Amino acid sequence: MRCTRSSGGDSDVTIDLRDSRAGDALVDHIDTAAGRLDGVIVAAGIVAFGDLVDTDDVVIEELFLTNSMGPMWLAKRVAPALASSQGFFVNLSGVVAETPMPGMAAYSASKAAA
């Protein structure tokens, strides 16, 4: 996941959303580069297609790590910095969270969990 400031500059940083400590790295980087964190928008995710029975366990795990656990871990880690700046956190999910589609059970469940 690439993180950047809307105004560009030297504030770009890459984090792995599947890493529970990625938010710590983001906050540390922003503290050094910009001084404060005003907001986070998570517009990341992975998709998988196929019947649940035929979907490999590793794929299901990656879906939940990236689409559900990652944004939750990130929110947990950045919450103090956002509280300090009165900032915001937005996680974009997908319509499949409310209306699952055939052949997308695992993906839909991971988005609904988010």
Side-chain angles (χ1 to χ4, degrees), residues 21-76:
R21 301 266 178 200
D24 295 334
L26 174 61
V27 171
D28 289 346
H29 180 79
I30 294 299
D31 283 347
T32 301
R36 73 179 204 196
L37 182 62
D38 293 321
V40 174
I41 300 172
V42 179
I46 59 171
V47 66
F49 300 96
D51 293 330
L52 181 61
V53 172
D54 297 327
T55 304
D56 190 273
D57 291 344
V58 172
V59 172
I60 295 171
E61 181 178 35
E62 285 296 312
L63 284 168
F64 276 85
L65 278 173
T66 304
N67 298 341
S68 305
M69 297 303 298
M72 186 178 348
W73 285 330
L74 183 61
K76 176 182 177 180

Side-chain angles (χ1 to χ4, degrees), residues 2-13 29-30 33-34:
R2 184 168 177 259
C3 306
T4 185
R5 291 180 63 186
S6 59
S7 61
D10 294 333
S11 295
D12 292 356
V13 63
H29 180 79
I30 294 299

Side-chain angles (χ1 to χ4, degrees), residues 36-39 78-89:
R36 73 179 204 196
L37 182 62
D38 293 321
V78 302
L82 292 174
S84 176
S85 69
Q86 297 182 346
F88 63 89
F89 187 93

